[in-house]
Amino acid sequence: MSVALSNVPGELHAEIAAYLDMVDEGRRAGRPAPHELPVAQARAEFEAASRSLPPFAPPCTVEQVSPQVRHGHLAARLYRPEPAGAALPVLIYLHGGGYCIGSLDSHDAVCRQLTISAQCAVLALDYRLAPEHPFPAALEDVRDTWDWLQEGGLALGLDPARVALGGDSAGATLASVVCAELAATQEAKPCAQLLFYPAVDARQTSESQELFAEGHLLESATLAWFYRHYAEQPAQRRDWRCSPLLAEGQLRGSAPALLLIAEFDPLLDEGLAYAEHLREQGVVVQSRLCRGMTHDFLRMAGLVPEVLEHYEQAAAFLRRYW
């Protein structure tokens, strides 16, 4: 499915437009785009940009935990509302960053806001990144963390029977794929999935990839750079676990999904198409085109207060299925 973008009216939110102007000024002054940098420098630049965003994180309790996975242990943060009740429902949250950048720090405010909005625990996972750990390493980390939580969640004051998966951008893709993998097993299954502007088609052939190729925060060239590091071989990019929009039946039985899709985003077309693809495979889907928003808007609540409405929508969705 593709959307006729010329028939989608709208304009950028004024505060986001001003922020993009500032980013453009930096480019004109010689600041390179992520795809023009070595990976280590791109990560450092992303963290610095994250720290420069206006704060909005509400207070909550944060604990460092170490999920056991097949190769050892991962760093993770467990967020809880104050005061925390017993046997809290849990959202496993996976940060965006094209499988190559991003961290627990870059998405700390997102996890805090989700914790407070949904009054749940949020387990943020520092999954392995490419190119050091290419496809499917991150998926393995998420699946192993699910198993770890099912086995030891009660000891942490969490309810293993009420667990959702969610993420933004690449993190949303990881969440959705693991939901589909679990649906095909006899194991416990997620209650819901939160998918914020997911990256679900590594072929990069949509109209929105061309229309919003530059100047809207995520650039198509940067997306291509991410995929080169994450899934170097063309066959890997056609694997449904890398491009779930290409799934042929593997999504059936997946947990109910909420998709929030940004209007001014190279990933617009594939996000809209993925909502329909899930529906066609029998998944309960609620989707929303977020007008005036760009990719990564979830981290802009300190800049654009209206973003908090999207957190509330996500919280309401979770409450419905917990």
Side-chain angles (χ1 to χ4, degrees):
M1 170 188 166
S2 182
V3 63
L5 293 172
S6 60
N7 295 325
V8 181
E11 59 184 32
L12 276 169
H13 188 284
E15 294 297 335
I16 293 181
Y19 180 73
L20 293 178
D21 286 342
M22 183 179 68
V23 173
D24 287 342
E25 288 177 7
R27 294 284 176 84
R28 289 194 292 270
R31 179 177 298 166
H35 58 271
E36 298 169 330
L37 295 171
V39 172
Q41 189 175 348
R43 290 172 180 164
E45 291 286 340
F46 184 76
E47 296 300 321
S50 299
R51 291 190 294 271
S52 72
L53 289 169
F56 66 94
C60 61
T61 300
V62 184
E63 176 186 357
Q64 308 299 318
V65 294
S66 300
Q68 184 172 0
V69 295
R70 68 192 68 185
H71 61 83
H73 289 82
L74 293 175
R77 287 180 187 166
L78 182 60
Y79 299 79
R80 306 177 202 251
E82 299 176 345
L88 285 169
V90 191
L91 170 65
I92 298 175
Y93 194 81
L94 309 167
H95 68 77
Y99 311 102
C100 297
I101 62 177
S103 68
L104 297 177
D105 288 336
S106 67
H107 285 66
D108 178 73
V110 171
C111 294
R112 289 174 182 270
Q113 188 61 56
L114 286 166
T115 298
I116 299 306
S117 294
Q119 287 295 291
C120 70
V122 172
L123 178 63
L125 184 62
D126 192 21
Y127 58 85
R128 290 173 293 169
L129 299 178
E132 298 91 339
H133 305 285
F135 171 84
L139 285 168
E140 294 172 351
D141 290 347
V142 180
R143 180 64 179 272
D144 291 350
T145 298
W146 168 270
D147 293 340
W148 172 83
L149 186 60
Q150 289 299 305
E151 294 171 4
L154 285 175
L156 293 170
L158 308 174
D159 185 353
R162 293 187 294 163
V163 182
L165 270 70
D168 60 284
S169 194
T173 310
L174 295 172
S176 195
V177 169
V178 171
C179 280
E181 289 182 332
L182 288 167
T185 72
Q186 299 301 315
E187 301 175 18
K189 297 173 177 56
C191 299
Q193 50 182 317
L194 299 182
L195 310 180
F196 304 107
Y197 32 89
V200 292
D201 188 355
R203 296 173 300 176
Q204 291 191 266
T205 57
S206 70
E207 183 182 348
S208 60
Q209 289 271 349
E210 298 178 6
L211 186 62
F212 302 125
E214 296 181 349
H216 294 85
L217 211 58
L218 174 64
E219 298 188 351
S220 294
T222 299
L223 190 59
W225 182 81
F226 288 148
Y227 280 130
R228 284 198 300 272
H229 288 307
Y230 178 59
E232 183 178 4
Q233 302 301 321
Q236 292 177 314
R237 299 183 198 179
R238 293 190 297 270
D239 188 314
W240 76 270
R241 296 172 299 161
C242 183
S243 296
L245 189 59
L246 304 182
E248 297 180 356
Q250 291 94 337
L251 306 178
R252 294 190 184 280
S254 292
L258 172 68
L259 282 87
L260 297 186
I261 302 158
E263 182 180 15
F264 294 88
D265 187 350
L267 303 181
L268 167 63
D269 279 2
E270 59 198 78
L272 294 171
Y274 193 55
E276 290 305 312
H277 198 52
L278 286 164
R279 290 188 183 102
E280 289 167 357
Q281 297 192 37
V283 180
V284 174
V285 176
Q286 180 180 335
S287 59
R288 178 175 179 180
L289 176 60
C290 301
R291 299 287 185 178
M293 298 291 136
T294 64
H295 195 80
D296 211 20
F297 69 76
L298 209 62
R299 299 195 306 139
M300 299 183 190
L303 187 69
V304 183
E306 292 91 329
V307 169
L308 293 175
E309 298 175 7
H310 300 309
Y311 281 98
E312 292 305 318
Q313 183 179 8
F317 187 82
L318 289 175
R319 286 193 293 268
R320 184 181 311 160
Y321 292 101
W322 277 333

